[in-house]
Amino acid sequence: MQASNSVGVITPQYVHIDKPLHLKSGTVLNSYNLVYETYGKLNPERSNAVLICHALSGSHHVAGIYADQPKNVGWWDNMIGPGKPIDTNRFFVIGVNNLGGCHGSTGPASIDARTSKPYGADFPVVTVEDWVETQALLADHLGIEQFAAIGGGSLGGMQALRWSLDHPERVRHALVIAAASNLTAQNIAFNDVARQAIITDPDFCGGDYYSHNTLPRRGLRLARMLGHITYLSDDSMAAKFGRELREGKLSFGFDVEFEIESYLRYQGDKFADQFDANSYLLMTKALDYFDPAGAYDGNLSEAFRVIKANFLVLSFTSDWRFSPERSHDVVKALLDNNVNVNYAEITSSNGHDSFLMVNDYYHQLVHAYMDNIDL
Amino acid sequence: MTNMINPATISRPDFAAIAAWIRPGAKVLDLGCGDGSLLHYLQERRDIFGYGVEIDDDNVLGCFKNGINIIQNDLESGLSSFESASFDYVILSQTLQAMRHTEIIIKEMLRVGREVIVSFPNFGYWKNRIQVVSGHMPVSETLPYHWFNTPNIHLCTLGDFEALCDQQNAHILERIVMNGDRQVKILPNLMGVLAFYRFERRG
């Protein structure tokens, strides 16, 4: 595997969409920006486009680096590039920052033209369906009628699945990795604890912290620490940190003592510096609301009737946040509809985060699947 | 595009025997499908639509490379992903003898498939019998393992298998017994190396 093959220096691009977006919540967003990146070349037939959808904390920066930030490597750089499983010598790959995000697409920190102030708490709640609509408009803008593939992990996989339902003619292959057809009560519970951590931070100021010149860093940090625990597995934490002490001995206080505490606090701090708390709230809501079977009395097979795409479904054995059993539900509903599907359960100790990591079997599977996509 | 299917496997007489029973255009589930060679063969010769089930990583990757619909799953845990009577044929090709839960898989195949096709090495083959009589567990072309490293934990003869079918309410529609590429008609339980059965739920 040519893991060192990078798409190189990338420049993000912007599209301004003036067409009013009727959100699932009933709210209308009159205009908005989307920031995106592309890797590889669109072929003359326009048949080799691949859309990569990001998860909770991801962005449009999927692969490569920036000229002024050589260490800012895209979040799925190990998967996407020349000679990599999603081969940019063959495919034209697009990464887009979702509406409501905080990496350049219009979101809560953007200025609301009506008030000349940041949207803050007034930014509407967005859903996976809404994202798919905006991504379809981006595809129109790029002249892509049909994607060779749309994929992602976790919340990104949910968007790929939604695409196959909302625009069955526009996606030939859906790559649904470490995802589920909806969240379990336990999963929603984790999300709500994260939201409560943010909302109850006194610096949250009802979501309008921008105008108060403050940031709910403590809340966002806690939300991320909690999330991070659930993205790992007991085994991987035991292997990486065990009960190791930073100073080699107990200090009988509440400062950092165990290595795991140090790691989580560092991750929390780093995240609180770079992510917008309102965006975090929105992303977790989009996760909670996702439920394609909801409109069909919980019958996922009914919901999948319209699917025309072929499916790649992957799960990871140690992922307890989006467990293999949840992927089995998706596979079963696909089988009920005679959909072409390749499903593999990958042995990994890295929990939900496995989908972001290098694993030979995982990457070989994606590579083999992508190689068989006709252009 | 990479295609791993070895042309040599295409001339496998056991594939031909199974293909002869499959209606063109049928929907097929192949349990323990390996790298998907049989499904590929049936797609080419019988224009079937199918899925394979396989547990081994290398085989699953082989199916991915061969463009075969594959569900990575442990057969021992049953076929809960598959609706009742949702396939024209469910095939278990030379896998039965390596399964722990023999009765459960037969039940499950009868539930999911309108017809079931099972093939297995005949333990009653005379060469096996001679080895047992001479004091050794058989080692042969179809049973290439030694007693201490064999995955084959539930070996049976034709007679044994037919008794199990009867017990499981399976109605045998057809039986073929092979020795290499020849069909065995006389004394099959003694002369046959590989047995093929096609059966359905009784009643």
Side-chain angles (χ1 to χ4, degrees):
Chain A
M1 197 132 309
Q2 296 155 296
S4 60
N5 279 359
S6 168
V7 297
V9 173
I10 296 298
T11 308
Q13 301 168 70
Y14 289 83
V15 57
H16 179 73
I17 297 178
D18 253 332
K19 188 180 162 192
L21 181 68
H22 295 264
L23 298 161
K24 200 182 171 191
S25 65
T27 313
V28 179
L29 206 57
N30 282 325
S31 70
Y32 52 94
N33 293 327
L34 293 176
V35 60
Y36 64 97
E37 294 179 5
T38 70
Y39 325 102
K41 284 204 176 88
L42 187 61
N43 64 8
E45 300 81 19
R46 297 171 181 269
S47 64
N48 69 334
V50 174
L51 177 67
I52 302 297
C53 305
H54 69 75
L56 187 58
S57 60
S59 72
H60 56 293
H61 187 38
V62 182
I65 54 168
Y66 297 138
D68 58 344
Q69 298 171 40
K71 286 190 175 161
N72 187 354
V73 180
W75 58 267
W76 223 5
D77 193 79
N78 59 34
M79 185 66 86
I80 294 155
K84 289 182 182 173
I86 299 175
D87 189 346
T88 49
N89 289 329
R90 199 160 171 257
F91 294 105
F92 176 65
V93 181
I94 302 159
V96 58
N97 184 212
N98 286 338
L99 188 69
C102 54
H103 293 93
S105 291
T106 300
S110 307
I111 301 296
D112 182 350
R114 298 167 303 181
T115 61
S116 304
K117 286 184 190 159
Y119 282 97
D122 289 338
F123 197 87
V125 170
V126 286
T127 63
V128 171
E129 289 94 321
D130 298 328
W131 286 336
V132 166
E133 281 321 294
T134 63
Q135 291 161 0
L137 291 166
L138 172 63
D140 294 344
H141 167 75
L142 295 170
I144 296 158
E145 179 49 39
Q146 185 189 60
F147 285 98
I150 299 179
S154 191
L155 179 56
M158 290 172 162
Q159 292 162 63
L161 177 54
R162 192 73 241 178
W163 259 96
S164 74
L165 302 173
D166 291 353
H167 299 283
E169 312 282 351
R170 296 191 75 172
V171 48
R172 297 206 298 281
H173 295 267
L175 322 178
V176 178
I177 301 172
S181 60
N182 62 18
L183 291 195
T184 59
Q186 186 192 47
N187 240 327
I188 294 170
F190 280 125
N191 281 345
D192 195 48
V193 175
R195 283 191 294 265
Q196 287 299 310
I198 292 169
I199 290 168
T200 58
D201 183 331
D203 287 332
F204 183 64
C205 306
D208 289 323
Y209 43 87
Y210 317 100
S211 55
H212 291 80
N213 250 335
T214 180
L215 286 172
R217 287 189 83 262
R218 287 167 292 178
L220 188 54
R221 174 174 178 267
L222 279 178
R224 184 58 174 178
M225 287 169 75
L226 171 71
H228 211 89
I229 296 167
T230 70
Y231 304 148
L232 302 176
S233 72
D234 193 18
D235 283 349
S236 67
M237 281 170 107
K240 204 167 170 187
F241 308 103
R243 293 181 51 85
E244 287 295 308
L245 293 164
R246 288 218 81 186
E247 306 296 336
K249 60 179 174 36
L250 300 178
S251 59
F252 300 96
F254 299 104
D255 280 340
V256 167
E257 289 191 271
F258 292 94
E259 285 290 355
I260 182 62
E261 296 174 316
S262 163
Y263 172 79
L264 276 182
R265 290 181 196 194
Y266 170 76
Q267 291 293 334
D269 286 334
K270 196 172 81 171
F271 190 74
D273 285 336
Q274 63 191 32
F275 209 87
D276 181 68
N278 280 320
S279 287
Y280 200 83
L281 296 178
L282 289 176
M283 299 287 161
T284 59
K285 270 288 166 192
L287 269 165
D288 292 0
Y289 287 164
F290 182 73
D291 186 16
Y296 297 86
D297 283 336
N299 188 334
L300 196 61
S301 301
E302 277 299 310
F304 281 11
R305 278 269 169 88
V306 296
I307 288 178
K308 291 210 160 73
N310 298 335
F311 270 70
L312 168 67
V313 182
L314 299 175
S315 69
F316 298 89
T317 50
S318 58
D319 184 352
W320 55 281
R321 190 108 197 232
F322 292 80
S323 70
E325 288 70 31
R326 302 309 321 283
S327 284
H328 294 173
D329 298 343
V330 173
V331 168
K332 162 106 183 29
L334 293 170
L335 291 171
D336 288 345
N337 286 287
N338 293 332
V339 174
N340 285 311
V341 50
N342 282 23
Y343 169 68
E345 199 165 304
I346 297 151
T347 303
S348 163
S349 63
N350 291 316
H352 185 52
D353 270 352
S354 298
F355 84 88
L356 295 166
M357 298 190 181
V358 175
N359 168 313
D360 283 346
Y361 179 49
Y362 170 36
H363 278 200
Q364 284 165 0
L365 289 170
V366 176
H367 211 146
Y369 189 88
M370 295 303 292
D371 272 354
N372 275 333
I373 293 181
D374 292 325
L375 298 183
Chain B
M1 208 175 298
T2 47
N3 192 327
M4 297 223 317
I5 304 259
N6 179 351
T9 63
I10 301 303
S11 63
R12 279 175 56 166
D14 56 330
F15 284 10
I18 291 170
W21 280 342
I22 304 274
R23 267 193 326 280
K27 187 178 169 194
V28 176
L29 179 62
D30 184 9
L31 304 177
C33 67
D35 67 359
S37 297
L38 174 61
L39 281 167
H40 186 263
Y41 182 91
L42 294 174
Q43 278 172 6
E44 302 260 292
R45 311 291 167 105
R46 286 289 181 270
D47 191 30
I48 58 119
F49 173 71
Y51 297 94
V53 178
E54 176 59 55
I55 184 74
D56 177 73
D57 285 358
D58 289 337
N59 279 330
V60 171
L61 179 59
C63 288
F64 270 60
K65 289 183 175 171
N66 291 322
I68 299 293
N69 283 328
I70 175 73
I71 312 298
Q72 185 166 24
N73 212 341
D74 186 1
L75 290 180
E76 304 284 6
S77 60
L79 302 176
S80 56
S81 292
F82 302 96
E83 283 293 323
S84 299
S86 58
F87 285 84
D88 296 313
Y89 303 94
V90 179
I91 302 173
L92 189 67
S93 166
Q94 299 192 51
T95 302
L96 184 73
Q97 74 279 0
M99 292 202 57
R100 278 170 56 97
H101 302 111
T102 317
E103 290 168 277
I104 291 174
I105 196 66
I106 296 283
K107 268 194 186 69
E108 279 288 84
M109 292 171 79
L110 285 166
R111 177 182 69 80
V112 170
R114 281 182 275 276
E115 290 186 16
V116 177
I117 295 172
V118 170
S119 72
F120 58 88
N122 174 26
F123 200 71
Y125 179 49
W126 67 271
K127 284 188 181 172
N128 295 338
R129 296 190 194 198
I130 284 180
Q131 290 186 58
V132 171
V133 168
S134 70
H136 293 284
M137 285 298 285
V139 179
S140 65
E141 206 176 300
T142 49
L143 297 170
Y145 302 95
H146 291 279
W147 68 271
F148 51 85
N149 64 7
T150 184
N152 299 326
I153 51 173
H154 282 140
L155 292 159
C156 67
T157 68
L158 272 60
D160 293 334
F161 183 73
E162 286 169 25
L164 177 66
C165 284
D166 193 50
Q167 183 216 316
Q168 293 296 327
N169 258 327
H171 168 59
I172 295 171
L173 297 163
E174 221 170 332
R175 180 185 80 186
I176 294 179
V177 183
M178 307 278 290
N179 186 341
D181 53 7
R182 284 180 302 110
Q183 204 171 323
V184 178
K185 303 269 184 178
I186 302 161
L187 297 174
N189 203 19
L190 190 62
M191 306 304 288
V193 177
L194 269 185
F196 298 79
Y197 285 86
R198 183 165 68 88
F199 52 93
E200 63 183 5
R201 272 181 308 274
R202 190 182 288 144

